[in-house]
Structure formats: structure tokens, C-alpha cells
Amino acid sequence: MEWLNAENLVAVGTAFVGIVASGIMVWYERRVPRRKRVGYRVQMDNPIGDDVRSGRPNRRLGLFDEAPGMSDATLVLLRIENDGSQGIARDDYTGPERHGLTAVFTDRTIRGVSVTQPTDTDHLMDHFTADRGFGYEDNTLRIPRVPLNPREHFKLLVLLSGGDVGRGIRLYGGLRDGEVHPNRSATPDDTPPLFSRAARLISILLTVCVVTLATIVVVRDAPPPVGCERGVLTVTGSTAFAPVVREVAAKYERDCEGSRITVDPHGSTAGIRELAAAATGGKGSPPVVALSDGPKPAGRDELRENRVAVSVFALVVHDDVKLKNLSTADVRRLYLGQITNWDEVGGPHLPVVLVSRDANSGTRQVFQRRVLGRGEIANSSVDCVHKDDPTAPVVRCELDSTDQVLSTVAATPGAIGYSELNLAERAKGLHPLDLGGDPPSVDAIEHGTSDYPYREIEYAYTYGRPPADSLASSFLTYLTRGNGQDVIRTHGHLPCWTPEGMRLCQSSPSD
């Protein structure tokens, strides 16, 4: 396999972009959000009294025993540093007081403070005066507005009493375009890390992933692991699911050389009959897959099912019918011919026209099974306009495909029909109806927030189990678990091989 091709160039380009993105992310994390940062850390918190309360008595000589109030004394070394990318001036401290920072020592009382700093920062000592806010009271230490260049620091040695070591020590204050934060390290004079632990970890993982991806794609010499097979295959059945199958078949043929897939839908029932006929008198499983909106008819034990997706269907009405919702009871009355004009259910004064599918339609069978609970009334019109039977209560016609239903409803005032949801939403001149207050929504059904009834599992049937190395078996795997899942979602269905889809497909009332 020649490595210098478009696929590999894209992979290597992705790796390069990933590495650059890692660097940019780390730079941004370090430089942009907190350009000015004051960090602090406790480098020492030791008892210098008798420490009896902690159960760790020590040995002392001299003033440790003689000075009053030293029985519970502790000594804290607090390091304060500029660990950002910019210098901090006196005006960068934003508090209203004269001092810039405040340190609080929980449950302890300050007895004395000593300031230290590196030899090359002697100029900092001039800022530690009472006029500039330096002082303490009870457990609170006021620290002046000390200007600090990047990486500069000073230390405060604080003598305390009245509490045990390890009690909370907090430093706070306002800093323009920056923050005051504790540093992780408590090791004396240890320089804080240049990048945070999270930034380092994310950068390493991202770099390893994209470099591995580029390496695998460049060095491999086999086609993508989709189980490609050669041969011919016919996919028939559901017209509602046909747009999905056509697109998936085209993708499979592009990915797998030597395969030819013909999509020839005639309705769910007709597709199952065609599959059964193809197997008559032959040996093994014929190269035919039948898609069906719902389970196979009884007595077809030789057909093996594959659950593909949850499909949502919708009742659609002409845009002149301004209704947005119908109760299930009103829908049943409509399809029994008991409602002949839309004004009987709060709509306009227009005669009802029922535009239905033929008896082979899985969409119709789902509608009858899920919504009506019975069959539709007899056909009364060929052209969907005039009654061929004058005694019929309403005009009702039957058409061969979903596209025909949608175009007829859109062109006929007062018409109502049914369709796969995604096709209905894209059609002009008509709109879907809610049923019993529940909208036709894949997302609502997926997340368990809707009891919308007009839905069904889309099945793919084969005659028996096709050989593992057959085009039929490979295509079904591609459709249900491979790249076909993205196409299924794009067309408004929920793949059965997703976590939510698997739950819905296994718990369907059609079982």
C-alpha cells in the first residue's frame, strides 16, 4: 500500500494538529486565564511548646520554657510567590484596605511575625511597614501590597499559640486579572511545577493517541476492518426505510470493492414474500434481505430476524387543517368514517380525505396495530378526490409508497395520511400531528419522556442464517453495528445497537 495517499495524509495531519493543539492548550492553561498569580504554601507547621495535647511531648531548653504562653506554641513558615507569567504591581491588588493580602490561622493566635526573603530581593523589605498595612490581630495577619516579579517570593515566619499544628491556614485577597491560590508542594524552596498536573496528563494522553492513530494508518496494508465481502445482494421491503438502506448500500459499495447491492423496495409484506419466493427450490440462504416495519407474519419460522432500528411514524395533515394534536379516540373515529368534516374536531370546514397505503405497507400495519387497534375502512376512491362508492362516508384511497402519500396529502385540502417521521418533517404543504399530547419525537422516546404510540422496530430478515462470509451477513453487520448506525441516526431513527436503542428494541410490545 502506497503510504503517500489522501487517507494517510489526513491521518498524519490529524496527528500534527493534535500535537499542536496540546501545546496550545497547555500554553493557554498557563498563560491566558491566570496571567497574574500569587501562590502560597505552608513550608513548616511545627509545635515548639510542650505539645502534650497532640500526644507528642518534646524536649526544650531556655526561652521555650521560660516565656509565658509557650506551652501550646507553634511555628509556621509561609511562602508567598509570584508563580504567574506577569509581574504584580502594588496597584494590581484590588482590596479596599491598605494591605493587599490576608492570612488567617484557624483556632490560633498570632504572637509574632518575621519576614525573610532571598538575598537578591532585599528591596521587598521596604514594603513591610505598619504604614503600608503590615500587622496582625488575633488569628489574622495583614500582608502589604508587595510588588513581585515573576518567580519572586518572600517568606513569613509566624509564631502562634492556642491551637494545634495542622489547623487550617488560608491566604486570600483580590488580584486584577489574576488569582490567589494554594500551591500543592509543601517542600521548602521547591519550585512549583510549570504546568498543572491535569495539563501535563491531558497533553501526554492526547499526543500518544494521535501519534498512535497516525502510525497505525500509515503502516497498515489492509482495508478497514468492516468484513467486506464481494458478490451481489438485493434489499427489498419497507419503502419508509428505503432512504436509509440506499445510502448505507452506497457507502458499503464505496468501502468494499466487488460488491453490488440493489435496493428495490415494494412494501414490508411484499418484501417478505419476495424473500420467501427467492428461497423456494433453492439451497441455503438466497442473497436477499427484506426490511419490514414490524415483526414478520406468523408461520414464517424460516425467516431469521435482525433488529435494526426504532422507527417513528407520524400522522400528517394538509396545512389548511390547522390542528396540531388529535386524541387517539378521534383518530380511530376518523379512520372508521365517523368524522366526515374537520370542524367536528375543532378544525376548519373541510371534508376529511383519508390517504392510506396499500395492504403491503408496513407503515400501514404499524398504524393499524399501534394506533387504531383494528383495520381501516374500505377503499372508496382511486384518485383520492372523487368517491367511487357514493355510499362511503369519506373519500379514502390507497397508494403504493410513502412519497406518494406525502405528495397527495400536501396537494389535497382536508387530507390526512401517515408516513415515516423524518420524511414527513421534510415535506412541504403538510405538518405532523401529536397523538394524545405526545409529539412524534425520536429524542423524547429515546430518553423515556414520551409514550408516543406510533413507532415500531425496523427488522431485517434473511432466509435462515446466511454464511458468515456472505455479502448478506457482512452488509447486515455494516448496517446495524458499523458505519450504517450514523446513517440511521441521520435519517431520524434510533439504532438498536446503541445503549438506549438496545433497551427499546428488546422491550418492544411487538415481541
Side-chain angles (χ1 to χ4, degrees):
M1 170 176 161
E2 184 182 358
W3 77 271
L4 190 58
N5 55 39
E7 181 183 355
N8 290 342
L9 288 177
V10 169
V12 174
T14 302
F16 176 78
V17 170
I19 294 172
V20 172
S22 299
I24 293 175
M25 182 205 67
V26 174
W27 176 85
Y28 182 90
E29 191 273 343
R30 176 65 184 169
R31 301 287 178 174
V32 176
R34 298 179 292 275
R35 295 187 298 271
K36 296 178 181 179
R37 304 201 307 184
V38 168
Y40 69 96
R41 43 186 160 153
V42 177
Q43 295 189 311
M44 181 178 70
D45 187 1
N46 290 340
I48 58 174
D50 58 24
D51 205 29
V52 171
R53 287 179 302 172
S54 68
R56 295 174 298 174
N58 55 25
R59 300 296 180 184
R60 296 165 287 110
L61 293 173
L63 290 177
F64 284 100
D65 279 329
E66 298 169 6
M70 294 294 290
S71 62
D72 57 358
T74 54
L75 201 59
V76 170
L77 181 62
L78 183 65
R79 174 183 168 123
I80 300 172
E81 55 206 345
N82 178 355
D83 61 351
S85 61
Q86 294 187 9
I88 298 172
R90 284 176 49 81
D91 293 338
D92 289 328
Y93 295 90
T94 59
E97 303 86 0
R98 283 184 301 168
H99 64 281
L101 302 172
T102 302
V104 176
F105 300 82
T106 303
D107 295 337
R108 289 189 268 188
T109 301
I110 300 173
R111 299 298 185 184
V113 182
S114 174
V115 182
T116 64
Q117 76 287 317
T119 56
D120 56 349
T121 57
D122 290 341
H123 59 282
L124 299 181
M125 192 62 71
D126 296 335
H127 298 277
F128 290 91
T129 64
D131 291 339
R132 297 195 175 184
F134 185 45
Y136 63 86
E137 182 178 4
D138 296 328
N139 68 340
T140 302
L141 172 62
R142 299 181 297 275
I143 303 170
R145 300 169 178 253
V146 180
L148 292 171
N149 293 322
R151 322 310 297 172
E152 282 188 347
H153 74 275
F154 60 88
K155 300 180 182 181
L156 301 171
L157 188 62
V158 186
L159 178 64
L160 303 134
S161 65
D164 293 334
V165 299
R167 305 294 292 172
I169 299 173
R170 185 168 64 93
L171 186 73
Y172 64 91
L175 199 63
R176 183 179 294 108
D177 295 329
E179 66 170 6
V180 177
H181 69 103
N183 282 330
R184 292 178 179 273
S185 173
T187 305
D189 296 323
D190 182 29
T191 302
L194 183 61
F195 306 118
S196 69
R197 182 178 301 176
R200 296 196 304 271
L201 180 60
I202 293 173
S203 300
I204 293 171
L205 289 177
L206 180 57
T207 301
V208 169
C209 288
V210 296
V211 170
T212 302
L213 169 66
T215 302
I216 291 174
V217 173
V218 169
V219 302
R220 67 181 173 85
D221 57 0
V226 296
C228 289
E229 299 294 343
R230 296 175 178 271
V232 295
L233 177 68
T234 298
V235 181
T236 185
S238 169
T239 60
F241 207 68
V244 175
V245 180
R246 287 194 178 98
E247 186 172 338
V248 175
K251 289 173 67 71
Y252 186 94
E253 289 178 342
R254 287 195 299 269
D255 290 342
C256 301
E257 296 182 2
S259 61
R260 183 164 59 85
I261 302 172
T262 301
V263 180
D264 187 24
H266 300 293
S268 297
T269 302
I272 288 178
R273 285 200 299 262
E274 184 178 341
L275 171 60
T280 302
K283 295 182 179 180
S285 179
V288 177
V289 172
L291 275 297
S292 175
D293 304 330
K296 63 187 178 183
R300 294 287 189 180
D301 297 337
E302 73 279 7
L303 301 186
R304 180 177 181 270
E305 72 177 29
N306 298 267
R307 302 188 181 204
V308 179
V310 176
S311 292
V312 179
F313 303 88
L315 282 169
V316 293
V317 292
H318 188 278
D319 277 342
D320 284 348
V321 181
K322 303 300 183 181
L323 297 174
K324 301 297 184 183
N325 176 70
L326 282 176
S327 68
T328 303
D330 284 340
V331 172
R332 290 170 179 169
R333 291 174 60 211
L334 276 168
Y335 279 85
L336 282 172
Q338 296 174 355
I339 298 174
T340 61
N341 196 293
W342 286 107
D343 58 12
E344 299 176 45
V345 287
H349 183 69
L350 283 172
V352 172
V353 178
L354 303 177
V355 181
S356 297
R357 287 290 306 281
D358 60 272
N360 288 323
S361 167
T363 305
R364 171 177 167 175
Q365 293 167 13
V366 174
F367 177 57
Q368 294 175 162
R369 184 168 60 250
R370 297 286 197 188
V371 181
L372 298 184
R374 51 157 294 159
E376 299 183 41
I377 59 175
N379 190 27
S380 65
S381 175
V382 174
D383 61 6
C384 300
V385 177
H386 305 94
K387 287 184 185 178
D388 300 324
D389 178 4
T391 65
V394 294
V395 170
R396 179 181 177 276
C397 60
E398 295 182 359
L399 301 175
D400 294 334
S401 70
T402 299
D403 289 339
Q404 291 178 0
V405 169
L406 293 174
S407 61
T408 302
V409 171
T412 309
I416 181 172
Y418 38 75
S419 162
E420 186 270 322
L421 176 61
N422 192 50
L423 296 176
E425 290 177 330
R426 292 184 293 175
K428 304 297 183 183
L430 53 80
H431 59 272
L433 291 173
D434 295 356
L435 290 179
D438 287 317
S441 168
V442 175
D443 288 340
I445 292 172
E446 180 178 3
H447 294 100
T449 60
S450 173
D451 293 323
Y452 183 76
Y454 195 8
R455 53 174 163 147
E456 186 55 278
I457 295 175
E458 193 72 29
Y459 292 85
Y461 287 102
T462 58
Y463 194 91
R465 183 185 296 273
D469 59 352
S470 66
L471 179 55
S473 178
S474 174
F475 177 73
L476 285 175
T477 300
Y478 188 91
L479 172 66
T480 58
R481 308 180 206 182
N483 294 342
Q485 287 195 11
D486 294 334
V487 180
I488 289 172
R489 275 206 177 273
T490 300
H491 284 265
H493 306 272
L494 177 62
C496 282
W497 282 85
T498 62
E500 288 300 321
M502 190 173 297
R503 177 181 61 81
L504 290 169
C505 289
Q506 293 300 326
S507 62
S508 171
S510 67
D511 293 350

